[in-house]
Amino acid sequence: MKLLNIDYIPGKEVEALGIVKGTIVQSKNFGKDFMAGMKTLVGGEIVSYTEMLNEARQIAVKRMVDEAQELGADAILNVRYSSSSVMQGAAEVIAYGTAVKIIE
């Protein structure tokens, strides 16, 4: 499955199948949350949060790709990511784009 954040595939004609998305709401582990709070006192990257969000993005992309495959898509164009806090200690990550079929 090709994933592109442009609105075309160079040299190919495509048929749009529809918008696809994958989403996950991930919560923080209490231990990681406590250690992250300590890290804010000295500054620097909060590695446990970076890892948590990377994992959440991977899951969201997998769900988006699964949805596109159900439509018979060959690629997803205009892939975008978004995240937001849905409650204290939990974040939503969403991946979305346009599923397309490549016309030979």
Side-chain angles (χ1 to χ4, degrees):
M1 176 78 57
K2 287 184 183 279
L3 302 177
L4 302 167
N5 70 349
I6 56 178
D7 60 358
Y8 63 95
I9 299 174
K12 301 286 184 179
E13 193 173 329
V14 297
E15 172 191 352
L17 301 176
I19 295 174
V20 289
K21 47 82 181 93
T23 186
I24 180 171
V25 175
Q26 185 123 351
S27 66
K28 301 176 212 167
N29 172 299
F30 175 75
K32 288 182 181 181
D33 200 31
F34 176 76
M35 294 308 293
M38 301 274 76
K39 182 70 172 181
T40 61
L41 297 174
V42 296
E45 179 181 8
I46 303 172
V47 175
S48 62
Y49 283 6
T50 300
E51 290 169 353
M52 180 192 79
L53 288 171
N54 280 335
E55 180 184 342
R57 269 191 296 278
Q58 289 174 350
I59 292 168
V61 167
K62 168 83 169 80
R63 290 176 179 174
M64 176 183 66
V65 168
D66 289 348
E67 192 173 303
Q69 287 174 331
E70 287 177 15
L71 295 175
D74 299 313
I76 304 172
L77 302 181
N78 287 318
V79 172
R80 301 288 187 260
Y81 299 97
S82 181
S83 63
S84 63
S85 177
V86 294
M87 60 183 279
Q88 187 172 353
E92 176 191 37
V93 174
I94 184 169
Y96 59 97
T98 302
V100 298
K101 184 83 172 157
I102 297 173
I103 300 169
E104 298 299 326

